[in-house]
Amino acid sequence: MKFVDEYRDKDAAARMAAVIAQVTTRPWTIMEICGGQTHAIVKYGVDQLLPDAITLVHGPGCPVCVTPVELIDKALEIAALPEVIFCSFGDMLRVPGSHRDLLTVKANGGDVRIVYAPLDAVKLAQRHPEKQVVFFAVGFETTAPATALAVLQASRLNITNFSMLVAHVCVPPAIVTILSAQHNQVQGFLAAGHVCTVMGYTEYEPLAQRYRTPIIVTGFEPLDILHGIYLCVKQLEEGRASVENQYARAVRREGSGEAQQLITEVFEVTPRQWRGLGAIADSGLGLRERYAGFDALRRFGAAASGATTPTECISGLVLQGIKKPQECPAFGKRCTPEQPLGAPMVSSEGACAAYYRYRRQPPHSRPTLQETNP
Ligand code: SF4
């Protein structure tokens, strides 16, 4: 398949890994931001192709994983109401709140539905005027334009039985939080290519300068990631720190003006609580006052505090790249995709799910670059 096969080529990957080894003279720690990149790294063994001096650590780029438990508890409370149709992407169904998940609410009679786009929830609201339809808007800047479009559509059609629980988060403030942490080990970043297709990468340029840290906008295929690592290591070895665009086939420096306009029309930047990283200023998107009528928290009441998470779940450390999933004592024992203790074990972008799926198999039965492109 064009734009896929050529980025999974085993020989090309080996050549790229050799070039990385040639330019590497010292140990470097690089964080990939996005959970999609984490899955590609773990699935195809990209990390195992690299010289020992390079350590990859996994970042907080799984929006489902960083959604705070308080908000998940609120989602569960709303979803259990008899007058509500609660809509969510499939990833959220198994994410544990303090005491249950959306699947349990559904099993107990709640009307919980999986949608593939926020506009599907608006259509449901049109079809069910007797119900309150609530959409759980979880995601980075990548999905915010589609959420904004749903709000604008509901507003245009004067739909009054539609609202959303907004949990959108923005990447650059999370990078600042990681770089400012006392124990920070990260020396370079692979930024999430899909976020940058929307937002461009001008926001990252002052960060690369201020923190003297290379940031490489990177795609999601194994060769994209290897190329991003090469560009990052080259900068580190040469003492440079700037933003480079590895994912030029999809990303422009200024991003998509139309998508940014949609976001700006509907949302304003707000503080946001991140699971694992805590409160981060200016890191969330909230509905502007003129669209506040679509805010589920105003309609159904604010999220309560007092949420609880299992003490043995170290997802906060995993999401900051401080620990790897296998270092969690519950990994694969008390925490599995069937019985998850934390969101990273169930989300399709969660690091724990990636390690559970791909690193527990014997090496010969794992997916490899060669099998993908024989
Ligand atoms: S393996 Fe499970 S319990 Fe451990 S950090 Fe991951 S989600 Fe939490």
Side-chain angles (χ1 to χ4, degrees):
M1 189 191 301
K2 189 157 171 58
F3 294 130
V4 174
D5 289 350
E6 65 263 49
Y7 293 97
R8 296 181 184 177
D9 182 89
K10 188 187 177 204
D11 295 335
R15 285 195 296 275
M16 183 68 76
V19 175
I20 293 170
Q22 264 172 17
V23 298
T24 305
T25 66
R26 280 167 283 168
W28 300 112
T29 299
I30 297 170
M31 172 180 275
E32 85 279 358
I33 286 287
C34 177
Q37 293 166 331
T38 305
H39 271 251
I41 288 167
V42 178
K43 178 175 180 179
Y44 293 108
V46 171
D47 50 338
Q48 292 161 338
L49 296 173
L50 298 173
D52 291 345
I54 296 178
T55 304
L56 293 184
V57 292
H58 315 310
C62 163
V64 169
C65 304
V66 299
T67 301
V69 186
E70 287 78 6
L71 209 55
I72 291 168
D73 284 348
K74 186 67 198 177
L76 297 167
E77 182 193 316
I78 295 171
L81 295 172
E83 71 272 25
V84 164
I85 298 175
F86 194 87
C87 302
S88 160
F89 296 138
D91 266 20
M92 288 304 301
L93 258 64
R94 297 300 315 275
V95 174
S98 293
H99 306 293
R100 54 188 175 161
D101 57 22
L102 281 170
L103 210 57
T104 314
V105 172
K106 189 174 168 64
N108 290 334
D111 194 343
V112 178
R113 303 191 191 187
I114 294 173
V115 292
Y116 297 98
L119 279 173
D120 294 345
V122 177
K123 285 181 198 148
L124 268 175
Q126 279 181 293
R127 285 207 298 274
H128 296 279
E130 77 289 0
K131 291 278 196 177
Q132 286 290 325
V133 175
V134 182
F135 174 65
F136 200 0
V138 174
F140 285 110
E141 298 97 319
T142 331
T143 48
T147 309
L149 205 58
V151 172
L152 292 174
Q153 178 80 335
S155 174
R156 195 175 61 78
L157 298 173
N158 203 19
I159 295 173
T160 54
N161 63 326
F162 172 75
S163 61
M164 52 175 62
L165 197 55
V166 181
H168 279 297
V169 283
C170 306
V171 172
I175 289 183
V176 170
T177 300
I178 288 164
L179 287 174
S180 309
Q182 217 178 4
H183 47 253
N184 173 50
Q185 308 271 322
V186 178
Q187 293 161 299
F189 283 96
L190 307 184
H194 55 3
V195 170
C196 297
T197 57
V198 171
M199 301 305 291
Y201 50 85
T202 54
E203 290 176 287
Y204 298 91
E205 289 167 350
L207 302 186
Q209 286 205 340
R210 192 187 326 152
Y211 294 96
R212 301 290 312 147
T213 303
I215 301 177
I216 314 298
V217 177
T218 303
F220 300 90
E221 293 297 334
L223 274 162
D224 285 322
I225 293 165
L226 284 165
H227 188 201
I229 292 166
Y230 166 73
L231 295 173
C232 193
V233 171
K234 198 145 187 307
Q235 282 202 35
L236 289 164
E237 290 280 346
E238 292 170 2
R240 294 183 290 119
S242 65
V243 178
E244 277 184 87
N245 183 11
Q246 181 281 326
Y247 203 35
R249 68 184 184 279
V251 172
R252 290 177 297 155
R253 180 174 178 267
E254 65 280 11
S256 162
E258 295 85 351
Q260 289 166 27
Q261 252 177 359
L262 280 172
I263 295 175
T264 310
E265 163 61 26
V266 171
F267 295 114
E268 60 189 359
V269 172
T270 60
R272 179 71 68 194
Q273 192 76 25
W274 293 53
R275 191 195 286 223
L277 276 78
I280 305 180
D282 299 337
S283 69
L285 296 175
L287 289 166
R288 287 190 183 278
E289 192 55 37
R290 58 180 172 272
Y291 298 110
F294 295 106
D295 187 346
L297 288 180
R298 292 209 188 189
R299 201 168 290 195
F300 298 96
S305 56
T308 55
T309 49
T311 46
E312 56 190 329
C313 177
I314 60 162
S315 62
L317 298 174
V318 172
L319 288 164
Q320 294 173 74
I322 297 167
K323 295 261 188 191
K324 292 262 168 91
Q326 316 94 307
E327 294 175 67
C328 171
F331 176 82
K333 298 178 188 121
R334 287 172 308 286
C335 181
T336 63
E338 292 73 34
Q339 297 288 332
L341 293 179
M345 186 51 96
V346 271
S347 168
S348 62
E349 297 196 325
C352 301
Y355 277 81
Y356 187 89
R357 186 159 177 200
Y358 300 117
R359 288 289 159 92
R360 292 168 63 257
Q361 308 159 346
H364 65 270
S365 61
R366 289 179 199 160
T368 66
L369 290 161
Q370 190 171 23
E371 281 171 27
T372 314
N373 189 21

